[in-house]
Amino acid sequence: MTETTALKVTTVYRCIELIGSSIKVLPFNVHERNGDAHQPIDHDYNWLFNCRANIDMTSSDAWQFLITSKFTHGDGFAELIRASYRSSKVIGWNPLHPDKVDPFRDRLTGIKYYRVTRENGEQEVLDQADVIQLTSLGYDGLRSPSPITYAASEAIGTAIAGQKWSGKFFDEGATFDYALSTDAKMSRTQLKDVKDTVIAREKNSRMPLVLSGGLKPAQLTINPRDAEILASRLFTIEEICRIFGVFPFMVGHTNKSTSWQSGLESMGSTFVRYTLLSHLTQIEQEFNYKLWPARSKRFLDHNTSQLERGDMKSRFDAYRSALGRAGEPGWISVNEVRKRENMAPAADGDELFKPEITEANNGEQSNADA
């Protein structure tokens, strides 16, 4: 089982593509801590991780490559390109093919290094501070086993066998077994003629089957072996989705569809919470450790609001509550709402709504105090 053969299974391909494409569209921006609060700031790293990773690759392509490598090989590697050998500033990042990376530890110091084979065949040793490594379950300190070969090999192998059987079935005309029945007794010559006719028809499924001697075709029901293969194909979809943590309906498997957590917002929130969050947390921790010095007030963080975004009516109702209504004070400003909707800020949209206390309310409060 290799990543090439595994990706030929549509469920595997879709699961990996879905997780990778979901992560690559999420904004990964620099934030700055200010006391207990933090806010996004303008920084050069925003361009590196959301627009252009390096001169040859967009950030979107780089993220997809990194996440795909993690699932197909167990580890995703990327090199951080520094401005110079002594500089801590990163000016680009380049995903590395896992087959070209060999992690090892120095025998004396125990420090981990990465031996990288370049495209021209030359090898270069990189410090662990300059290499991003996204690991998988079973990480031993150097490498991680591939989910495809470690956990999903049997399920994927079964899916491949089912695909081959289906291809053979349709190649043979997509017809089930049949029998030829007659009440008359047939001679050896007649049986031989029928056999030759059936064999000739197998070679060319469009050739008509000529029957004589009172023969009548009778289609048989699907045999238990074929029925088991068809059922196993449905089961392997669920099994592969279970390994990758993807809900079957998200890969187009609606055989057992349910109304549980229905709605775009609910489905998006569930996918983020139970599938993407562990990957996003790992990415944030690895990049922040390699990019910033200790005790830095700056950090990179994903914004998952786009995936958790509800329909327009639900979104606007939430905005009304946040802005303040029915006499309640607002906890979000108009310009913050406009920013989320990709609109220009309003001239007087930075103030939070505070309900006015009328004289009537003051009078009622004074009577209540009395």
Side-chain angles (χ1 to χ4, degrees), residues 74-327:
D75 296 282
F77 297 100
E79 178 185 2
L80 297 177
I81 305 172
R82 307 281 182 179
S84 66
Y85 178 77
R86 297 181 178 274
S87 175
S88 61
K89 182 179 180 180
V90 174
I91 59 175
W93 62 290
N94 180 38
L96 302 172
H97 197 285
D99 290 341
K100 304 294 184 180
V101 182
D102 180 26
F104 68 96
R105 292 190 182 276
D106 185 275
R107 295 182 178 180
L108 298 178
T109 63
I111 298 176
K112 184 165 66 173
Y113 295 93
Y114 297 85
R115 185 180 293 107
V116 179
T117 303
R118 302 298 186 183
E119 293 183 359
N120 58 5
E122 296 182 356
Q123 293 187 341
E124 181 181 357
V125 175
L126 301 178
D127 190 272
Q128 62 177 342
D130 295 329
V131 177
I132 295 295
Q133 182 177 4
L134 301 184
T135 62
S136 299
L137 183 65
Y139 174 60
D140 62 1
L142 290 178
R143 297 297 294 256
S144 306
S146 167
I148 289 177
T149 58
Y150 184 73
S153 59
E154 292 187 5
I156 296 174
T158 302
I160 293 175
Q163 286 184 353
K164 290 182 178 179
W165 179 88
S166 299
K168 181 180 179 182
F169 174 73
F170 285 102
D171 184 61
E172 293 175 350
T175 57
F176 294 110
D177 292 341
Y178 63 91
L180 301 177
S181 63
T182 180
D183 296 332
K185 184 177 180 180
M186 300 182 66
S187 63
R188 289 181 177 273
T189 303
Q190 290 175 319
L191 289 174
K192 184 178 182 303
D193 292 340
V194 172
K195 182 178 179 181
D196 293 341
T197 302
V198 173
I199 293 176
R201 187 176 185 276
E202 288 295 329
K203 296 180 180 180
N204 184 2
S205 61
R206 292 184 178 274
M207 183 178 179
L209 181 62
V210 180
L211 301 177
S212 61
L215 287 172
K216 297 180 180 179
Q219 180 175 327
L220 302 178
T221 58
I222 183 172
N223 62 61
R225 180 179 64 86
D226 295 342
E228 185 177 350
I229 293 176
L230 292 176
S232 67
R233 293 205 67 191
L234 298 177
F235 174 75
T236 54
I237 294 176
E238 299 177 2
E239 189 74 2
I240 294 172
C241 287
R242 185 179 297 114
I243 293 171
F244 286 100
V246 175
F247 296 100
F249 71 87
M250 303 191 78
V251 300
H253 181 63
T254 57
N255 184 52
K256 297 180 180 179
S257 59
T258 175
S259 59
W260 178 76
Q261 287 284 316
S262 59
L264 294 177
E265 184 178 7
S266 298
M267 289 189 295
S269 299
T270 302
F271 180 59
V272 171
R273 184 180 302 113
Y274 295 110
T275 302
L276 294 185
L277 189 58
S278 61
H279 302 297
L280 298 179
T281 301
Q282 182 188 48
I283 292 172
E284 292 166 5
Q285 292 177 351
E286 179 72 357
F287 274 89
N288 284 324
Y289 177 73
K290 301 292 176 67
L291 291 175
W292 312 104
R295 300 181 182 277
S296 174
K297 291 186 177 182
R298 295 179 177 179
F299 64 96
L300 283 158
D301 188 36
H302 284 101
N303 183 1
T304 61
S305 60
Q306 291 297 323
L307 291 180
E308 300 174 300
R309 195 172 188 174
D311 59 87
M312 182 176 293
K313 182 179 183 302
S314 300
R315 197 164 70 249
F316 286 2
D317 287 342
Y319 287 155
R320 292 190 187 96
S321 299
L323 289 170
R325 64 179 181 180

Side-chain angles (χ1 to χ4, degrees), residues 324-336:
R325 64 179 181 180
E328 298 177 354
W331 54 272
I332 192 173
S333 68
V334 172
N335 280 344
E336 288 177 302

Side-chain angles (χ1 to χ4, degrees), residues 39-54:
Q39 59 183 6
I41 62 173
D42 187 19
H43 196 279
D44 291 342
Y45 288 171
N46 294 340
W47 172 265
L48 289 181
F49 300 117
N50 297 281
C51 295
R52 199 77 187 178
N54 54 69

